[in-house]
Amino acid sequence: MWTTAALLLTLPACAAAGAPPNVVVFYADDLGFGDPGFAGHPSNLTPNLDALRATGTRLSSWYSACPVCTGSRAALMTGRIYSRIGLPGVLGPTSQTGLPLRETTLADQFKKAGYATGMIGKWHLGQRAAYLPAARGFDASRRRAGLGETTPVWTDSCCVGLQTSPSFVRLHSEHERA
């Protein structure tokens, strides 16, 4: 159903009453509007997404800022048109650059608001240390290696506080079984 999916998961730093809501953003390459079960697809079974949809908010008007992965992820992370960020359409495994360090990311903004942040999935915003999720505002990440990368299929960067969060552990465990 999906070629690849990227997940931005933010969890409130504290679970006290009145705490800000959990925010989960699913960002998928090649996902059609009607592909998930909750959207009416007759054969794609997506019970976990259906359950999230039933209890959460679904934002259904979406336009990708770029037709390829690096540009669309850069636009999502910064809120800027990808061509103004200065990245090519796709950063390959030998690219020496990444999302410019001057850019403020969505994760940076969530952290300022008191959230712990995590990213699971395809990154494609730079593969050198300065451009990886841990350097771009994410407390934890489980990054899928991109096409042509020689790194392992999954690489981890978890902080102690987030990796022991019940919500993160449950999601991480479910992801392992998938």
Side-chain angles (χ1 to χ4, degrees):
M1 179 173 86
W2 298 335
T3 303
T4 58
L7 169 71
L8 166 67
L9 169 69
T10 60
L11 304 169
C14 77
N22 289 336
V23 178
V24 179
V25 177
F26 290 88
Y27 198 65
D29 292 345
D30 305 321
L31 177 67
F33 183 81
D35 288 346
F38 63 77
H41 197 280
S43 60
N44 287 339
L45 303 178
T46 56
N48 293 331
L49 291 178
D50 298 352
L52 283 172
R53 168 60 182 106
T55 60
T57 300
R58 177 179 173 214
L59 306 175
S60 59
S61 292
W62 181 268
Y63 297 95
S64 180
C66 181
V68 294
C69 53
T70 297
S72 64
R73 282 167 173 73
L76 172 70
M77 284 296 172
T78 64
R80 297 185 66 203
I81 297 171
Y82 92 96
S83 59
R84 292 186 176 178
I85 298 170
L87 289 173
V90 177
L91 291 174
T94 59
S95 296
Q96 298 297 312
T97 189
L99 183 65
L101 301 178
R102 70 180 181 277
E103 297 293 341
T104 301
T105 67
L106 191 59
D108 293 327
Q109 295 299 329
F110 272 112
K111 284 180 75 153
K112 283 182 186 177
Y115 282 83
T117 58
M119 191 291 286
I120 300 172
K122 181 178 170 183
W123 180 244
H124 261 218
L125 291 173
Q127 299 173 49
R128 304 297 174 250
Y131 304 112
L132 292 176
R136 302 316 314 254
F138 290 97
D139 297 316
S141 67
R142 183 151 176 116
R143 183 177 67 90
R144 178 186 173 272
L147 181 64
E149 287 188 54
T150 57
T151 56
V153 174
W154 290 101
T155 56
D156 290 312
S157 163
C158 287
C159 71
V160 174
L162 184 60
Q163 72 185 22
T164 58
S165 158
S167 298
F168 189 79
V169 169
R170 183 176 61 250
L171 179 68
H172 212 277
S173 298
E174 289 171 3
H175 188 71
E176 282 293 314
R177 290 191 298 267

